[in-house]
């Protein structure tokens, strides 16, 4: 059994709908543990760097704009086959 850690981001549309608790419940029911969690506002610079792999794609600017449109919840999930 290998325990892995991975990043999870609950996006602005879900935080606006106030469903982060329901999402976290599903994560935990799947067997993963939330070992760190923080609600933040991404900046355009940080979102652009995070999604840089997509910078040449036509949806890149829309993606960055969406991700900075409201708060997100970033989490570290831990568990077997978490990645």
């Amino acid at each position: 059994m290998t325990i892995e850690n991975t990043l999870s981001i609950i996006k602005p549309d879900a935080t606006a709908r106030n469903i982060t608790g329901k999402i976290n419940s599903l994560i935990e029911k799947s067997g993963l543990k939330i070992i760190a969690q923080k609600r933040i506002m991404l900046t355009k610079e940080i979102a652009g760097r995070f999604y840089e792999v997509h910078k040449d794609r036509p949806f890149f600017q829309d993606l960055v704009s969406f991700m900075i449109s409201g708060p997100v919840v970033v989490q570290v999930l831990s568990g077997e086959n978490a990645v």
Side-chain angles (χ1 to χ4, degrees), residues 7-10 36-40 42 72-76:
L7 170 71
S8 166
I9 303 176
I10 299 177
Q37 177 175 284
K38 188 171 186 179
R39 185 181 183 102
I40 63 169
L42 292 175
V72 298
V73 176
V74 291
Q75 303 173 323
V76 178

Side-chain angles (χ1 to χ4, degrees), residues 64-76:
V64 170
S65 293
F66 170 66
M67 292 303 293
I68 66 171
S69 68
V72 298
V73 176
V74 291
Q75 303 173 323
V76 178

Side-chain angles (χ1 to χ4, degrees), residues 11-82:
K11 296 184 170 79
D13 56 337
T15 60
R17 293 173 45 208
N18 201 27
I19 59 172
T20 57
K22 290 180 182 179
I23 293 169
N24 285 342
S25 179
L26 290 172
I27 289 169
E28 291 170 335
K29 284 179 184 175
S30 77
L32 297 173
K33 292 181 182 177
I34 300 168
I35 61 172
Q37 177 175 284
K38 188 171 186 179
R39 185 181 183 102
I40 63 169
M41 285 291 298
L42 292 175
T43 65
K44 187 173 185 176
E45 178 185 350
I46 291 172
R49 282 188 299 175
F50 186 78
Y51 291 105
E52 187 173 12
V53 67
H54 301 298
K55 70 181 175 188
D56 296 326
R57 309 296 289 277
F59 59 83
F60 176 73
Q61 290 302 327
D62 289 338
L63 174 60
V64 170
S65 293
F66 170 66
M67 292 303 293
I68 66 171
S69 68
V72 298
V73 176
V74 291
Q75 303 173 323
V76 178
L77 307 180
S78 183
E80 193 171 341
N81 299 314

